[in-house]
């Protein structure tokens, strides 16, 4: 069997991974050819060409063309949406408007507060699309879900001014945020409590606030900041010196909720389901609901969604009487996320998350099965401490091989020390996550 035949066989066995790659290629094409009609024309021409050629694998080629064109189309639509909303923000730049907005997230600043809001209405402005903006205000701080009524100065977000600078405009545009609104102290502010919150959001925010208050009341400020970062991904109160220490040792990733944390949550949920003796099948449902709730609790970040989605598919596989196929699980997770928002392709968390898990799956098996001698295979080491420690090192090394190019490109650092640091830090993080939930449960 030659290389092309092996690739063809692999793509058929791992069909969802093939879908994800085709979707990804279509999205990449959209950055060069943004016309919404181009993918439709390509699909029509491609299907006609396949039919005329009368190839044996007609179904596969038809599906491939459709998936590729779908990625191209949805990404083109998203790019046009960004362009239109950016133009809208430019039209209202440096102008004063009365507005009504629903608060999504809020935090204190040195001079008052700032909140990410969904703009519901802008008086005297012909706005035909819903915008998200960052509102800066003074005085009473609104809560998540409140509706604010006020008047403010609208300012568009600035892009990159010099080569190498961070592009805030592009970064916030991928999050659908296009402007900032500054409320002057002389302008009145009216807050309608809970006016725009649905029940699920209220539950999530209530649980988040309960966790924050419980952790802060039970521990000192430095410990509370670390636990909140590990449990909720909330790094707003973490000690800056501690954060710098994590960054210098190359383990800053443990402070961002990702697959590592979801893995620990999966273990905790599995143990709890076993202790409670929940019947088989129903225990899987409880675990899945727990994973989905945790993903919502941490803000639905791409890395958390990826890990939670993969964990759900892995847990669900035995119920469907199917062996879990790791490449299909990775591909299906990536395809769903990219179909939901093609701009995830530019999200650093998305890139690091998928590059790490793909690298672990590929390189770990390569090292243990083909590269390392038998006596260095973790399965051949009888001492469980040495076996698990060495296995953890190989997992860390495998992940680094995939994430190293991205880390070097974005952060201009090569965290060699993290290979050793991860072996020590990762188990400690697991203990801290358990301790954190123990404190919450008391």
């Amino acid at each position: 069997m030659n290389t092309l035949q092996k690739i063809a066989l692999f793509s058929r066995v791992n069909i969802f991974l093939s879908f994800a790659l085709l979707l990804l290629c279509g999205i990449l094409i959209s950055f060069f050819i943004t016309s919404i009609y181009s993918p439709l024309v390509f699909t029509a021409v491609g299907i006609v060409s396949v039919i005329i050629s009368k190839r044996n694998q007609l179904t596969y080629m038809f599906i491939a063309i459709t998936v590729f064109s779908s990625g191209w189309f949805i990404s083109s639509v998203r790019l046009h949406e960004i362009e239109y909303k950016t133009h809208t923000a430019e039209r209202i730049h440096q102008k004063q408007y009365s507005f009504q907005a629903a608060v999504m997230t809020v935090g204190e600043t040195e001079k008052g507060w700032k909140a990410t809001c969904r703009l519901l209405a802008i008086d005297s402005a012909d706005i035909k699309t819903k915008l998200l903006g960052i509102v800066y205000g003074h005085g009473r701080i609104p809560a998540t879900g409140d509706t604010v009524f006020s008047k403010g100065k609208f300012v568009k977000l600035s892009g990159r001014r010099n080569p190498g600078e961070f592009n805030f405009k592009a970064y916030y545009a991928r999050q659908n945020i296009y402007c900032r609104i500054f409320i002057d102290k002389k302008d009145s502010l009216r807050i309608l409590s809970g006016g725009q919150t649905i029940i699920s959001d209220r539950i999530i925010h209530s649980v988040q606030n309960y966790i924050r208050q419980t952790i802060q009341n039970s521990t000192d400020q430095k410990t509370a900041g670390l636990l909140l970062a590990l449990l909720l991904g909330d790094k707003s109160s973490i000690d800056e010196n501690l954060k710098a220490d994590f960054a210098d040792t190359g383990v800053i990733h443990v402070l961002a909720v990702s697959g590592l944390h979801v893995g620990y949550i999966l273990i905790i949920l599995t143990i709890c389901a076993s202790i409670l003796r929940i019947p088989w099948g129903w225990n899987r449902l409880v675990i899945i609901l727990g994973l989905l709730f945790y993903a919502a609790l941490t803000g639905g970040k791409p890395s958390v969604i990826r890990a939670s989605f993969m964990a759900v598919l892995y847990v669900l596989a035995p119920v469907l009487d199917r062996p879990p196929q790791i490449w299909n699980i990775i591909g299906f997770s990536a395809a769903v996320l990219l179909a939901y928002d093609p701009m995830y392709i530019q999200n650093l968390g998305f890139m690091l998350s998928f590059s790490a898990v793909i690298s672990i799956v590929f390189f770990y098996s390569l090292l243990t099965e083909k590269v390392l001698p038998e006596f260095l295979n973790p399965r051949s080491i009888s001492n469980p401490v040495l076996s698990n420690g060495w296995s953890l090192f190989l997992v860390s090394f495998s992940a680094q091989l995939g994430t190293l190019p991205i880390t070097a490109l974005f952060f201009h650092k090569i965290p060699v020390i993290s290979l050793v640091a991860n072996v020590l830090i990762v188990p400690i993080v697991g203990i801290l996550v358990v301790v954190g939930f123990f404190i919450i449960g008391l």
Side-chain angles (χ1 to χ4, degrees):
M1 185 181 293
N2 58 38
T3 304
L4 289 176
Q5 289 175 327
K6 289 181 180 179
I7 294 174
L9 178 62
F10 181 82
S11 63
R12 289 185 186 179
V13 173
N14 301 284
I15 188 68
F16 288 115
L17 180 63
S18 302
F19 283 178
L21 291 174
L22 288 167
L23 203 67
L24 178 63
C25 291
I27 291 170
L28 291 174
I29 288 293
S30 71
F31 287 96
F32 301 96
I33 307 175
T34 58
S35 171
I36 296 176
Y37 301 104
S38 296
L40 301 178
V41 173
F42 175 83
T43 303
V45 173
I47 291 174
V48 170
S49 300
V50 169
I51 294 174
I52 293 175
S53 65
K54 298 181 180 179
R55 292 179 178 263
N56 295 329
Q57 300 174 340
L58 185 65
T59 303
Y60 290 108
M61 296 187 71
F62 174 80
I63 294 174
I65 291 172
T66 303
V67 174
F68 173 82
S69 300
S70 297
W72 189 355
F73 178 77
I74 60 178
S75 184
S76 296
V77 171
R78 183 77 170 86
L79 289 170
H80 277 275
E81 177 192 7
I82 291 175
E83 183 181 359
Y84 177 76
K85 290 186 176 181
T86 300
H87 176 69
T88 300
E90 290 174 351
R91 286 200 297 113
I92 59 178
H93 178 57
Q94 296 291 351
K95 295 179 180 178
Q96 293 270 357
Y97 292 108
S98 297
F99 67 92
Q100 175 185 348
V103 178
M104 300 172 65
T105 62
V106 64
E108 292 188 53
T109 63
E110 293 183 0
K111 298 182 179 180
W113 54 268
K114 73 172 183 179
T116 301
C117 298
R118 183 174 69 254
L119 296 171
L120 304 175
I122 303 175
D123 293 345
S124 303
D126 185 19
I127 305 298
K128 297 180 180 180
T129 184
K130 297 296 183 182
L131 295 176
L132 299 185
I134 303 175
V135 179
Y136 296 82
H138 309 273
R140 179 187 168 189
I141 303 176
T144 300
D146 288 352
T147 303
V148 296
F149 302 82
S150 189
K151 183 178 182 180
K153 182 180 181 181
F154 285 68
V155 179
K156 68 178 182 180
L157 293 168
S158 300
R160 184 186 290 116
R161 296 178 181 176
N162 298 303
E165 281 188 348
F166 185 75
N167 193 336
F168 284 98
K169 182 179 179 181
Y171 171 76
Y172 281 112
R174 292 194 292 271
Q175 302 179 55
N176 287 315
I177 299 173
Y178 296 90
C179 63
R180 292 183 293 172
I181 304 136
F182 296 90
I183 301 174
D184 195 276
K185 289 183 179 180
K186 65 181 180 181
D187 292 321
S188 61
L189 172 67
R190 186 164 64 92
I191 300 174
L192 177 62
S193 298
Q196 294 292 327
T197 310
I198 59 176
I199 295 177
S200 59
D201 287 341
R202 292 179 189 175
I203 295 172
I204 294 295
H205 298 317
S206 297
V207 174
Q208 287 175 338
N209 291 332
Y210 171 77
I211 291 174
R212 287 191 183 94
Q213 291 174 4
T214 304
I215 294 293
Q216 289 168 352
N217 293 335
S218 304
T219 61
D220 59 81
Q221 185 177 358
K222 191 172 183 178
T223 305
L226 176 60
L227 288 176
L228 289 175
L230 294 175
L231 297 175
L232 299 178
D234 180 7
K235 298 187 286 290
S236 61
S237 57
I238 192 169
D239 183 76
E240 290 298 326
N241 293 327
L242 182 62
K243 187 188 294 185
D245 291 338
F246 273 86
D248 292 338
T249 52
V251 292
I252 188 69
H253 64 90
V254 302
L255 299 180
V257 177
S258 59
L260 173 66
H261 305 74
V262 173
Y264 284 126
I265 296 300
L266 176 59
I267 293 172
I268 292 171
L269 289 171
T270 303
I271 293 173
C272 290
S274 177
I275 293 173
L276 296 174
R277 296 185 178 182
I278 301 174
W280 193 89
W282 290 103
N283 63 340
R284 304 279 170 167
L285 178 61
V286 170
I287 293 171
I288 289 171
L289 291 176
L291 289 169
L292 295 177
F293 182 76
Y294 183 71
L297 195 65
T298 54
K301 298 178 179 64
S303 57
V304 181
I305 295 175
R306 188 274 307 163
S308 300
F309 206 68
M310 287 183 62
V312 167
L313 293 175
Y314 189 84
V315 169
L316 199 59
V319 179
L320 301 176
D321 197 23
R322 289 177 176 270
Q325 296 284 346
I326 187 62
W327 288 114
N328 269 331
I329 290 175
I330 293 172
F332 190 75
S333 303
V336 170
L337 283 173
L338 290 174
Y340 173 73
D341 187 355
M343 293 304 104
Y344 276 148
I345 196 176
Q346 296 178 314
N347 183 284
L348 183 58
F350 180 90
M351 288 187 281
L352 287 173
S353 179
F354 275 97
S355 63
V357 72
I358 289 172
S359 186
I360 289 172
V361 172
F362 179 78
F363 286 111
Y364 184 81
S365 60
L366 182 67
L367 289 170
T368 55
E369 295 175 9
K370 296 183 179 180
V371 176
L372 294 175
E374 183 63 27
F375 72 92
L376 287 179
N377 191 316
R379 291 190 294 268
S380 302
I381 301 174
S382 57
N383 188 305
V385 176
L386 293 177
S387 176
N388 291 329
W390 178 239
S391 180
L392 186 59
F393 177 83
L394 292 178
V395 168
S396 175
F397 179 72
S398 300
Q400 291 288 338
L401 291 176
T403 59
L404 194 61
I406 300 173
T407 305
L409 178 64
F410 283 90
F411 300 106
H412 311 291
K413 289 183 179 180
I414 300 178
V416 178
I417 192 176
S418 65
L419 291 174
V420 178
N422 272 296
V423 177
L424 301 174
I425 294 297
V426 169
I428 294 174
V429 168
I431 295 172
L432 289 175
V433 170
V434 173
V435 169
F437 279 104
F438 181 75
I439 292 173
I440 295 167
L442 291 178

